[in-house]
Amino acid sequence: MEPPQAPGPERLFDSHRLPSDGFLLLALLLYAPVGFCLLVLRLFLGIHVFLVSCALPDSVLRRFVVRTMCAVLGLVAREEDSGLRDQRVRVLISNHVTPFDHNIVNLLTSCSTPLLNSPPSFVCWSRGFMEMDGRGELVESLKRFCASTRLPPTPLLLFPEEEATNGREGLLRFSSWPFSIQDVIQPLTLRVQRPLVSVTVSDASWVSELLWSLFVPFTVYQVRWLRPVHRQLGEGNEEFALRVQQLVAQELGQTGTRLTPADKAEHMKRQRHRRLHPQSARTGCVDLTITNLLEGAVAFIPEDITEGTQALPTASASKTLAQCLSCKVGIRCRFNDDDFASPLTL
């Protein structure tokens, strides 16, 4: 029996927030007035949650109070197999679904998560991330953090996928650097459920995700602890990461893929291009496409071109665009052929 085919990026990332089912869409429209009222109310309550989390020291009491207040905000955290949690393990590994996964796990156990590819800032701190500089020094800084003898020890919570998925089909390839910190890690699985709308959208910002979380009735985060995993004799970081990825995928009933954050970026780029090209395909008229561009109905995203072989088509396309703009906006443009030797500048 052949193994199941790994899902592609179109199955790992949701591009639309609203449901396609007509019944669910009708239910969302009927719920919308209630949702907006909840959104406004929860925004004010969220300020109090933030202030309380900043005022109270990290302790069991703080986690209980903040977890209860987050439940009022619609963010419900549930825990399974908590007896498997090993307090001696300093590195926790989880799949990644939403921008708030680290906040939810922090309601269950004390942990710290570095924010990758972002300089230290107030926003970084306010979102509950560790403030660290640079990927080059990141691993060494995390090794020193885990080797510290301060009590109580604070474990690291890391997301080797580095990008969030929809949490339904599969996992991105686990990066190897989180597995170079220590020789023993403890994995956990994270499932997120939400009614009416998608849990996460591939190109949405964390602010947008937060507003939708406050709008919907509730979002349930299900955390399940797995047994600690030790590095085998002679096992490299890549092999260690692959073994843990397959273990987490098996527990979630999903598939571990070889897709990376770069594949997600390429997938999002293709999606943005499809929003423009079907315009001329549906109408068969370049003029109507230009009208949509001018009216802001469709965003114009130029394609990447390579030097040399694409120089002549670029000049032709630029001349066509200039002619269409002249017809639509009533501006007379004159260009020589030499003007199109380089990309058109308006």
Side-chain angles (χ1 to χ4, degrees):
M1 181 177 180
E2 296 183 358
Q5 186 178 4
E10 68 280 354
R11 293 172 56 187
L12 264 62
F13 310 106
D14 291 340
S15 57
H16 301 287
R17 178 82 61 181
L18 302 182
S20 57
D21 182 79
F23 177 78
L24 291 178
L25 187 59
L26 176 61
L28 178 62
L29 292 176
L30 295 176
Y31 168 78
V34 179
F36 282 115
C37 294
L38 281 178
L39 174 61
V40 175
L41 178 62
R42 287 171 171 174
L43 282 174
F44 287 100
L45 293 177
I47 298 176
H48 292 81
V49 175
F50 175 75
L51 295 177
V52 169
S53 63
C54 293
L56 295 179
D58 187 17
S59 61
V60 176
L61 175 62
R62 173 184 178 273
R63 288 194 290 273
F64 174 77
V65 172
V66 176
R67 181 178 178 181
T68 303
M69 298 180 72
C70 285
V72 177
L73 297 180
L75 304 175
V76 182
R78 294 180 178 177
E79 187 177 19
E80 291 184 5
D81 298 331
S82 58
L84 297 178
R85 172 73 178 99
D86 191 340
Q87 300 295 334
R88 298 169 298 179
V89 179
R90 303 296 298 274
V91 178
L92 309 178
I93 298 294
S94 173
N95 59 305
H96 199 9
V97 183
T98 74
F100 315 109
D101 295 344
H102 65 288
N103 302 108
I104 297 300
V105 177
N106 199 23
L107 297 177
L108 306 175
T109 184
S110 178
C111 60
S112 299
T113 302
L115 180 61
L116 305 179
N117 304 321
S118 179
S121 63
F122 173 77
V123 176
C124 171
W125 171 81
S126 63
R127 293 180 60 193
F129 287 105
M130 294 174 58
E131 299 186 60
M132 308 195 74
D133 294 321
R135 176 69 63 86
E137 302 177 356
L138 176 63
V139 175
E140 294 301 324
S141 299
L142 296 181
K143 286 182 178 180
R144 291 193 297 268
F145 178 86
C146 290
S148 63
T149 58
R150 61 180 180 177
L151 294 175
T154 302
L156 287 171
L157 173 63
L158 303 177
F159 302 97
E161 294 177 285
E162 299 184 359
E163 289 287 346
T165 66
N166 57 25
R168 296 192 307 269
E169 298 290 341
L171 303 179
L172 294 178
R173 177 182 178 180
F174 277 16
S175 297
S176 61
W177 67 265
F179 300 88
S180 65
I181 299 174
Q182 287 200 332
D183 292 335
V184 56
I185 60 95
Q186 181 158 24
L188 59 96
T189 61
L190 186 63
R191 299 177 186 270
V192 185
Q193 295 178 328
R194 173 185 295 170
L196 300 178
V197 297
S198 298
V199 171
T200 183
V201 175
S202 57
D203 58 349
S205 65
W206 71 269
V207 176
S208 173
E209 296 291 353
L210 176 61
L211 294 178
W212 278 103
S213 298
L214 301 179
F215 173 83
V216 298
F218 56 85
T219 303
V220 179
Y221 291 78
Q222 189 78 40
V223 176
R224 183 181 182 185
W225 295 96
L226 306 181
R227 297 184 182 278
V229 180
H230 296 259
R231 184 193 302 271
Q232 297 177 352
L233 183 62
E235 187 176 38
N237 296 331
E238 290 286 349
E239 293 78 9
F240 194 14
L242 179 61
R243 185 159 61 94
V244 175
Q245 182 205 34
Q246 297 302 323
L247 174 62
V248 173
Q250 182 180 359
E251 291 293 331
L252 290 170
Q254 300 178 12
T255 305
T257 72
R258 308 302 291 172
L259 298 175
T260 66
D263 296 309
K264 177 183 179 180
E266 182 64 25
H267 172 67
M268 295 171 58
K269 181 179 178 180
R270 289 197 301 266
Q271 284 186 325
R272 288 192 293 266
H273 278 262
R274 292 194 192 104
R275 297 172 187 174
L276 171 63
H277 295 316
Q279 295 293 321
S280 56
R282 286 196 302 266
T283 62
C285 178
V286 177
D287 287 350
L288 184 54
T289 302
I290 298 300
T291 302
N292 291 336
L293 289 171
L294 295 175
E295 294 177 352
V298 179
F300 173 69
I301 305 175
E303 295 185 355
D304 294 337
I305 58 175
T306 57
E307 296 181 358
T309 58
Q310 298 293 335
L312 184 57
T314 301
S316 177
S318 302
K319 185 179 295 185
T320 303
L321 177 61
Q323 292 173 350
C324 292
L325 288 173
S326 300
C327 296
K328 287 298 173 186
V329 301
I331 300 177
R332 187 177 183 84
C333 303
R334 294 181 179 228
F335 297 98
N336 298 322
D337 290 340
D338 294 339
D339 295 334
F340 296 100
S342 59
L344 178 64
T345 301
L346 296 180

